[in-house]
Amino acid sequence: MPENILLNLWSLWPLAVIGLMVLAALWLLGLLGARPRTPYARRHKLVTRNELVFYRVLRQAVGDQWEVFAMVRIADLLTVPKGTSNHRSWLNKVLSKHIDFILCDKETLEVLAGIELDDRSHSLPARIRRDQFVNAAFSDAGLPLVRFPVATSYDATVIRRTIDKAIK
């Protein structure tokens, strides 16, 4: 009887080999079909050290009245109406630009103002042109844009007064 079992098992070896080949092929296809890695790496900080210092005072200045968001893409704040001549060109001008902070209504998240923190880089010719464009875009869209120079310290009362004046 054990001989019959061995003979039966021996007659199944071609099926076992085929099964192993199928498993090996599936494993190789899985490796070959694996998703390629993207080149992205994690950004550990959303804002610079200067922006973080300003953000903390800004939060104090606005209290519970408004929400503050950092590093918002301008294309998410300003829109180019359909039918505008050179629509795509105008959109491309804001797609890769960000605003340092925005203030929003707590209940509706309506954007009330943009805030830029200007460091030394804002005195470079290319940055001056960029700032002039952003100023014009916000002005033409009817969205206040408030600029503050980078400083070693900030006064929450002065920040609040400046924002209130811009929003009203």
Side-chain angles (χ1 to χ4, degrees), residues 114-144:
I115 298 175
E116 280 280 76
L117 187 61
D118 294 343
D119 60 14
R120 278 182 283 165
S121 71
H122 289 260
S123 63
L124 299 172
R127 191 61 186 227
I128 290 170
R129 285 189 301 277
R130 181 247 187 225
D131 288 348
Q132 288 170 339
F133 169 78
V134 170
N135 291 345
F138 272 70
S139 177
D140 293 344
L143 183 58

Side-chain angles (χ1 to χ4, degrees), residues 83-97:
T84 300
S85 179
N86 299 317
H87 181 272
R88 190 65 192 178
S89 175
W90 286 110
L91 184 60
N92 287 341
K93 290 177 186 247
V94 294
L95 276 176
S96 63
K97 290 177 177 62

Side-chain angles (χ1 to χ4, degrees), residues 45-61 68 70 100-101 115 117 148-156 159:
K45 295 181 180 183
L46 186 60
V47 295
T48 66
R49 182 175 305 166
N50 286 333
E51 290 166 340
L52 183 58
V53 169
F54 180 81
Y55 171 80
R56 290 180 177 141
V57 180
L58 177 60
R59 288 286 322 132
Q60 180 185 352
V68 177
D100 293 329
F101 304 100
I115 298 175
L117 187 61
F148 292 95
V150 166
T152 53
S153 65
Y154 302 95
D155 183 333
I159 290 173

